[in-house]
């Protein structure tokens, strides 16, 4: 998408064509916390992450081998840097979901849609509107109330890790849009290099761990393999390709806003891992919180502003 202005009548259609895949990613990510919690323990986090990435990386490498060779050295370095940030996100999220509920994980990570517009406003030196700041404060309060449904207690380790993951996601989205070295490259090779860098980090950290990826894989049954394939194909391969593609066509704030609706992903139709009434009740409350967060739209109080921006305007 070039920096040439798009006619007013065409812009909404193009924005919707970009938004729809991102909303699909939000749905599968909403189910990913339930799947990850079901197949992962504190001892197997690194092993599961290695398996999750190793399943899709060869496919990406084969499909995109020509585009990988076309990357410049600067683009390789830029994508590798994004991969290091991505590895940090997955480590924080996966350890976080192991030590908290799937509901809390989804709610806390949705704060990315608040953090990203604030960070983007700071980077571009623009002042957020009062409406956005008010909506952001209400959203944070809503997440706090929903995660403390049984009464106010000290946040768990998992809650704090998920909060750090939300901040790391903000950094990742901003870096994708503002790293000059990767702006001219295709999304496929950039996604491949990022995932390759992340799996290298996980493999290195898993050396000397309590259990190896191969031991963990051998212990998996049909249910665990189904969960792992869901995480690998939909929540990793598809999701990060779409995110890389979309953030270069709209803006970090808009992508984070759409991805932040992930706690509203319907657990029962999308995933067999949400089977209890408590999870469904928490999901309905999460939908209310997400809808309140959409009221902030962007740092200037208008979500349409971000949608009308070109890839080169970021």
């Amino acid at each position: 998408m070039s920096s040439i202005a798009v006619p007013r009548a065409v812009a909404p259609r193009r924005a919707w064509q970009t938004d729809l895949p991102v909303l699909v990613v939000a749905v599968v990510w909403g189910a990913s916390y339930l799947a990850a919690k079901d197949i992962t323990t504190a001892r197997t986090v690194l092993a599961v992450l290695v398996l999750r990435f190793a399943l899709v990386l060869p496919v990406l490498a084969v499909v995109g081998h020509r585009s990988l060779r076309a990357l410049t050295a600067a683009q390789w370095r830029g994508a590798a840097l994004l991969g290091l940030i991505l590895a940090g996100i997955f480590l924080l999220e996966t350890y976080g979901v192991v030590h908290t509920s799937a509901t809390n994980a989804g709610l806390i990570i949705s704060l990315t849609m608040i953090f990203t517009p604030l960070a983007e406003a700071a980077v571009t030196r623009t002042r957020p509107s009062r409406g956005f700041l008010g909506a952001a404060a209400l959203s944070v309060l809503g997440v706090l109330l929903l995660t403390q449904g049984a009464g106010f207690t000290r946040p768990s380790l998992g809650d704090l890790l998920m909060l750090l993951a939300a901040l790391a996601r903000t950094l990742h989205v901003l870096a994708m849009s503002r790293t000059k070295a990767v702006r001219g490259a295709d999304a496929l090779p950039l996604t491949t290099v990022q995932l390759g860098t992340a799996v290298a980090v996980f493999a290195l950290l898993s050396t000397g761990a309590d259990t190896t990826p191969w031991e963990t894989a051998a212990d998996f049954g049909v249910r665990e393999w189904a969960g792992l394939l869901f995480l690998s194909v939909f929540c990793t391969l598809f999701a990060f390709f779409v995110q890389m593609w979309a953030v270069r066509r709209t803006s970090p704030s808009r992508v984070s806003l759409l991805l932040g609706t992930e706690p509203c992903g319907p657990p029962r139709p999308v995933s067999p891992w949400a089977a209890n009434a408590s999870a469904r009740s928490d999901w309905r409350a999460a939908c209310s919180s997400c809808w309140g967060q959409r009221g902030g739209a962007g740092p200037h109080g208008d979500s349409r502003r971000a949608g009308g921006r070109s890839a080169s305007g970021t």
Side-chain angles (χ1 to χ4, degrees):
M1 187 169 170
S2 69
S3 59
I4 300 175
V6 179
R8 187 181 298 270
V10 179
R13 180 182 176 185
R14 291 192 177 181
W16 176 246
Q17 290 172 345
T18 303
D19 291 349
L20 183 58
V22 180
L23 287 171
V24 174
V25 170
V27 171
V28 298
W29 271 359
S32 71
Y33 299 108
L34 297 160
K37 193 169 183 66
D38 189 64
I39 70 172
T40 311
T41 67
R43 292 180 63 251
T44 62
V45 167
L46 290 171
V48 169
L49 285 174
V50 171
L51 293 171
R52 175 176 176 176
F53 280 67
L55 284 176
V56 298
L57 194 58
V59 177
L60 284 173
V62 171
V63 172
H65 68 282
R66 291 184 179 179
S67 54
L68 281 171
R69 290 202 301 265
L71 291 178
T72 65
Q75 289 170 336
W76 274 92
R77 290 192 297 270
L81 176 60
L82 293 174
L84 290 176
I85 301 173
L86 187 63
I89 294 171
F90 272 99
L91 286 169
L92 290 168
E93 284 188 357
T94 311
Y95 275 111
V97 78
V98 166
H99 291 94
T100 189
S101 68
T103 300
N104 277 19
L107 287 168
I108 295 170
I109 204 68
S110 72
L111 291 174
T112 304
M113 75 166 77
I114 299 300
F115 296 155
T116 304
L118 291 174
E120 190 177 17
V123 169
T124 58
R125 297 182 180 180
T126 56
R127 178 174 297 181
S129 68
R130 291 182 180 180
F132 171 77
L133 293 176
L138 287 175
S139 299
V140 173
L141 178 61
V143 169
L144 179 63
L145 292 173
L146 285 168
T147 56
Q148 300 293 317
F152 285 98
T153 59
R154 179 179 300 177
S156 68
L157 173 62
D159 293 337
L160 296 176
L161 290 174
M162 293 307 301
L163 183 61
L164 291 175
L167 293 171
R169 272 204 198 185
T170 297
L171 175 62
H172 188 245
V173 173
L174 286 177
M176 281 193 295
S177 69
R178 302 189 69 85
T179 302
K180 294 181 179 180
V182 302
R183 286 184 182 177
D186 292 336
L188 178 59
L190 293 180
T191 302
T192 304
V193 176
Q194 284 189 78
L195 298 186
T197 302
V199 77
V201 171
F202 303 145
L204 181 62
L205 293 176
S206 67
T207 304
D210 292 340
T211 180
T212 67
W214 328 122
E215 292 171 342
T216 300
D219 291 337
F220 276 180
V222 174
R223 179 187 178 90
E224 288 77 16
W225 274 108
L228 182 64
L229 287 173
F230 172 74
L231 290 172
S232 298
V233 176
F234 294 101
C235 304
T236 304
L237 176 61
F238 170 73
F240 284 97
F241 178 85
V242 169
Q243 187 182 25
M244 171 66 75
W245 170 80
V247 79
R248 297 154 74 194
R249 284 162 175 76
T250 55
S251 76
S253 296
R254 187 176 184 88
V255 171
S256 291
L257 172 69
L258 296 170
L259 290 177
T261 62
E262 65 189 69
C264 304
R268 183 170 284 274
V270 174
S271 168
W273 298 279
N276 57 71
S278 175
R280 293 193 298 272
S281 175
D282 288 342
W283 168 69
R284 287 190 291 267
C287 285
S288 299
S289 175
C290 288
W291 187 255
Q293 286 176 335
R294 287 183 66 86
H300 302 285
D302 186 359
S303 62
R304 292 171 298 178
R305 179 191 65 84
R309 291 175 61 181
S310 65
S312 63
T314 304

